[in-house]
Amino acid sequence: MNHISILIVDDDLNKISSIITTIKEVFSETLSISQASCVQEAIENLQKKEFHLLITDLQMPLKYDDEPNDNGGKSLIKQLYKKRNKVNVPMYIVGLTQFEDLKNTYDGVWKIWHFDASSETWKNNLRDLIHHISLVKSRVKTDKIETIFVEGPTDKKIIECCFHHFFEDHIHKIYIDTINYGGGASWVERQLFIWAKSLSTKSNEEVYLKAVGIFDDDVAGRSSIENIKAQIDINSAEFKTFSIIKNCYKYSIILKSIKSKGISFPTTIEDLISIECWKLANEKGWLAQRDLNKIEIDHKILNIKNDELTIDILKDNNFTDDEILQITNKINDDYKKQFGTMVCELDKTFLLSIKYLLIDVLKKLKISTIA
């Protein structure tokens, strides 16, 4: 089956949509499209995958938290050829910029095209290049498969560990994708957008490949979920190619109990892990105080205010010591990696909540968990 793998380094979703639409006009088979928003993120993608084509903006941040840089595209091209970066250099590279002055100042070996949404020039050039790539025998052989997008490397580590414990027969059917730097809800949101626009089908089938985005149930996660729902028409075929799942209380017995007593708070994948792991993390000094202002109180159940939340008041309202530990603490960001490693080294019973989450993920991907 013909398969083209493309990395688009750009953060303008309208521009990306236009690029994908143009490609699909001449290539109707499987497209594997990844997206990055800065040089650092692009390099990480190129270190872990091979691509037929790199399409890059010229103005972009060097790192995920930097301001856009007029020389970002040039820097990316230079980084490709540094041996220490150990990247898979793409077969073809194209610059696509809205800024005519940046185009004119570039004198490298690769082509730079001027992007104008209403122009056919760059579209014709891109169509010709895609047609050429489709005729060339490629070293990039990996088939695109169902994918789970997660917010960061700890999430990926825990989910992979849970797959090996409970769903070993399915691990080869799933690709779990994240990025080490930047990541977060906005990254998952972008990947789902690209996935939806690609409308890729399974090998030799007329069925769309599906993806699942797993978001933390916090402000950033909820915002990204609303964004993706606003960007993709709910009645479109694109919307049917992905599903959204939150790391929320329904997967955890202790979080359900806390909520039933009138308290809920933004939750991450770490909050779903067994309380026994939290006790070990507490002994190791890996916990940090949770922002009590972000705790939501159901005043129909609990007649207290956020600034009244103390251990004694929680005890007076029948919260257990284990529940109080989780209400008042979170895993310190500086120790998430160590926490994830510890969890994966312990008994699989500590991952039962993640198992229940993955059962939902596999259902969304239409993969049966019945042997």
Side-chain angles (χ1 to χ4, degrees), residues 81-305:
Y81 301 104
K82 292 183 177 178
K83 289 184 178 180
R84 60 180 170 80
N85 285 331
K86 297 180 180 179
V87 302
N88 299 297
V89 178
M91 295 173 64
Y92 301 91
I93 299 172
V94 169
L96 194 58
T97 180
Q98 299 100 310
F99 305 106
E100 191 74 47
D101 56 332
L102 292 182
K103 173 182 179 292
N104 294 334
T105 59
Y106 185 81
D107 56 1
V109 66
W110 296 104
K111 292 284 187 181
I112 303 296
W113 299 332
H114 178 244
F115 174 82
D116 180 340
S118 62
S119 170
E120 286 296 312
T121 303
W122 71 269
K123 293 180 182 178
N124 288 333
N125 290 339
L126 181 56
R127 291 185 193 109
D128 288 345
L129 178 55
I130 293 298
H131 179 65
H132 172 80
I133 292 173
S134 71
L135 297 176
V136 174
K137 290 184 178 180
S138 165
R139 69 176 190 269
V140 184
K141 301 294 184 183
T142 305
D143 283 335
K144 188 174 181 179
I145 60 175
E146 268 81 8
T147 298
I148 303 170
F149 296 108
V150 297
E151 291 195 13
T154 301
D155 301 52
K156 179 177 179 179
K157 185 181 185 71
I158 291 171
I159 287 173
E160 283 181 336
C161 178
C162 190
F163 259 110
H164 286 297
H165 280 312
F166 299 106
F167 308 109
E168 185 72 35
D169 292 342
H170 297 308
I171 189 65
H172 68 284
K173 303 173 185 176
I174 305 291
Y175 181 66
I176 304 168
D177 201 6
T178 192
I179 200 149
N180 290 324
Y181 301 101
S186 63
W187 181 86
V188 176
E189 174 195 330
R190 285 187 272 124
Q191 307 319 305
L192 290 182
F193 179 87
I194 300 298
W195 185 280
K197 292 295 179 180
S198 301
L199 281 174
S200 297
T201 56
K202 296 184 179 182
S203 298
N204 303 316
E205 296 182 39
E206 294 300 318
V207 179
Y208 290 124
L209 279 164
K210 293 206 68 175
V212 170
I214 301 179
F215 293 88
D216 287 339
D217 190 14
D218 56 10
V219 173
R222 294 168 194 169
S223 175
S224 285
I225 290 169
E226 290 305 310
N227 287 344
I228 194 69
K229 288 180 178 178
Q231 291 159 357
I232 307 295
D233 183 354
I234 193 171
N235 297 311
S236 66
E238 295 170 348
F239 197 83
K240 294 179 175 64
T241 65
F242 68 91
S243 298
I244 290 167
I245 285 180
K246 293 188 291 186
N247 291 311
C248 65
Y249 74 94
K250 76 174 188 176
Y251 299 109
S252 164
I253 293 174
I254 189 169
L255 292 182
K256 282 182 182 178
S257 175
I258 291 171
K259 187 173 179 66
S260 72
K261 296 177 182 178
I263 283 182
S264 58
F265 46 82
T267 48
T268 67
I269 197 167
E270 289 85 7
D271 291 296
L272 306 186
I273 303 298
S274 166
I275 193 64
E276 299 306 317
C277 294
W278 277 67
K279 291 177 182 177
L280 290 172
N282 190 35
E283 292 173 4
K284 295 176 181 291
W286 293 350
L287 300 186
Q289 184 171 340
R290 194 182 295 279
D291 185 349
L292 299 184
N293 290 319
K294 293 182 180 179
I295 288 179
E296 299 173 17
I297 298 175
D298 185 341
H299 296 289
K300 294 178 181 178
I301 301 174
L302 200 58
N303 188 27
I304 59 174
K305 299 177 182 179

